[in-house]
Amino acid sequence: MDLLKFNQTKLFASHCLLWVCVWFFYMYFFSYNTNNTLYVTWFSSILLPLTMTTTYATVYYLIPKFLLQKRYWLFGLYAVYMLIFTAFLVTVIMIGSFIFISNLRVEDTPMMSRNLVFILILIYLVVGIVSFIHILNHNFNTLTQNKALENKILDAQLHIKEQELSYLKKQIHPHFLFNSLNTIYGFALKQSAQTPEIILKLSNLLDYILYQVSEKQVSLQQELDHIEEYISLEQIRFQGTLNVTINKNEIKENCSIPPMLFIPFVENAFKHGNILNGKLKIRIHFEVSDSHLNFRIENTAITENIENKQNGIGLENIRKRLDLLFPKRYELKTTQFKNGFVAALNIDLHE
């Protein structure tokens, strides 16, 4: 409230200063080649309210209602009307001043006060300057508001993007957890010596999924380590019916990727893959260079089940996340073939 009062006081003071300056401006010009200070003072003082009225009518009515609304024809028409009305009032002021101030003595009237065109030029010079400043200020405020609105929209979009990314990268299917817990339960019933190892592997993987996944970037080697841990848990569950091969070239330490980028592909291979000829075969290939990352995963599957299973919600979520992380910088292809399915991902690592 105090700030509002301060701004109002500041605005009022600036207007007062403006019109005091205009009054001195009139005094200076009408004093040219005359010593009749009384006439000049009165004439300038009477002309000032007309100038104020013309200026405020232009700035607060004509400009916002017509010019800023791009109704140029009406703005020009009303501006002409105002010019005619102003010229009429100036003529009245000139005649009244000649009669009542100079007592009909032409020699007592300053030369400048007898020129209608000159007086109109002075008035509309003030109107033009004030209008120009008003339009500049309006444009500046509009740009500032648009920029603030644009920043709010960008912040909202960024927040939505972060929320969507957070949601998508946590979409590891709960069936893996349930299967792992069932496997642990089965080994515990047998009092197997592998039970603590299985629990430790599951604990490490859940730690990665639940906590380290909040990081924007993790090292590619760290991602691969957790993929191998994921696979080792599945190997325990599948026993001798699983055959997984991982091929990768030398990976640089500074190579980083968003977390949980490849685990959903691996999960899909286990979830939708089928045991054929006594084995579920999965082939994983990584190839990393300075500018590209190539990933390929292939699994055995019954062909007629692929379309209904592999292209479900899992791949849709993967594509959504890739769109957010690497817009127009990735290529994901899925291929069906006899008794198998392949997903191939190529990412341009340069932004």
Side-chain angles (χ1 to χ4, degrees), residues 226-249:
H226 284 88
I227 288 176
E228 290 174 354
E229 203 154 49
Y230 182 104
I231 292 171
S232 67
L233 282 170
E234 294 287 11
Q235 284 176 328
I236 294 172
R237 182 167 68 90
F238 278 85
Q239 297 295 321
T241 61
L242 180 63
N243 186 335
V244 179
T245 303
I246 300 178
N247 296 315
K248 58 184 178 180
N249 63 345

Side-chain angles (χ1 to χ4, degrees), residues 313-324:
I313 296 175
L315 277 178
E316 181 182 344
N317 285 341
I318 292 170
R319 289 186 186 276
K320 285 181 179 179
R321 189 177 177 211
L322 289 170
D323 285 336
L324 292 169

Side-chain angles (χ1 to χ4, degrees), residues 1 9 11 15 18 32 43 86 88 91 98 100 150 178 203 222 234 264 271 289 295 313 323 328 333 344:
M1 192 67 181
T9 304
L11 181 64
H15 280 238
L18 167 68
Y32 176 75
F43 191 80
T86 304
F88 169 75
T91 304
F98 177 69
F100 296 106
E150 183 180 339
F178 295 144
S203 175
Q222 187 178 9
E234 294 287 11
K271 179 182 177 184
S289 66
F295 168 78
I313 296 175
D323 285 336
K328 299 181 179 180
K333 291 183 178 180

Side-chain angles (χ1 to χ4, degrees), residues 188-214:
L189 288 178
K190 298 176 184 177
Q191 295 184 349
S192 172
Q194 288 184 283
T195 304
E197 180 187 354
I198 300 172
I199 294 174
L200 181 61
K201 288 180 180 292
L202 180 60
S203 175
N204 290 338
L205 189 58
L206 289 178
D207 175 73
Y208 181 70
I209 294 171
L210 298 176
Y211 298 105
Q212 297 182 47
V213 77
S214 61

Side-chain angles (χ1 to χ4, degrees), residues 6 29 66 87 97 139 144 164 173 184 198 221 225 228-229 240 283 301 311 334 338:
F6 173 76
F29 275 96
F66 300 109
S97 300
N139 289 340
T144 303
E164 189 172 357
H173 205 278
I184 293 172
I198 300 172
Q221 186 59 55
D225 291 342
E228 290 174 354
E229 203 154 49
R283 302 288 181 267
N311 293 323
T334 57
K338 184 178 180 180

